[in-house]
Amino acid sequence: MLQSMGPRRVTGSDEDPRVVELRTAVARLRRELAAHPAEFPDRGIAEDELAALAAMAGGGTPEIPRLRRSLLLVAGAIGSVSALSTGLSAVRGAVELFGEQGGGRQP
């Protein structure tokens, strides 16, 4: 059985692997949301907060409280849309890589 070793730095890259994971997960969920045909009341909130998460991931190591707030808003906005649950889970997992506020895990 393979076990995750947690986030690791890519050889030759100074980029935090947690940030890479967050950026990848957010991009995937944004694509899934854009392709989702149904409109729902809080779609705009989800789109705005995913854009905010993408901006945070693009700007280096994001602030953990802001990450968690955005995740909560996205989850509340699209939580009942089962077609987006896998992408939402990936974003949640990426946010969790940053650990707890003030005592975050170091790569």
Side-chain angles (χ1 to χ4, degrees):
M1 176 195 289
L2 296 176
Q3 291 185 357
S4 174
M5 299 291 291
R8 293 177 285 147
R9 293 197 187 275
V10 177
T11 304
S13 173
D14 288 334
E15 193 164 28
D16 187 334
R18 300 172 302 171
V19 173
V20 172
E21 184 74 22
L22 178 62
R23 187 172 42 243
T24 301
V26 168
R28 176 180 171 202
L29 184 54
R30 288 180 87 183
R31 285 191 306 272
E32 290 174 1
L33 181 59
H36 190 68
E39 284 298 320
F40 48 93
D42 294 329
R43 186 181 189 123
I45 293 169
E47 290 169 345
D48 290 348
E49 288 304 316
L50 285 170
L53 282 167
M56 284 186 266
T61 304
E63 297 176 25
I64 295 170
R66 179 69 176 111
L67 280 179
R68 292 187 186 283
R69 178 184 177 277
S70 289
L71 174 62
L72 215 87
L73 289 170
V74 171
I78 66 173
S80 64
V81 182
S82 61
L84 302 174
S85 64
T86 301
L88 180 58
S89 292
V91 172
R92 187 191 79 231
V95 168
E96 289 176 354
L97 291 175
F98 288 89
E100 292 299 319
Q101 182 177 336
R105 235 174 30 190
Q106 296 299 316

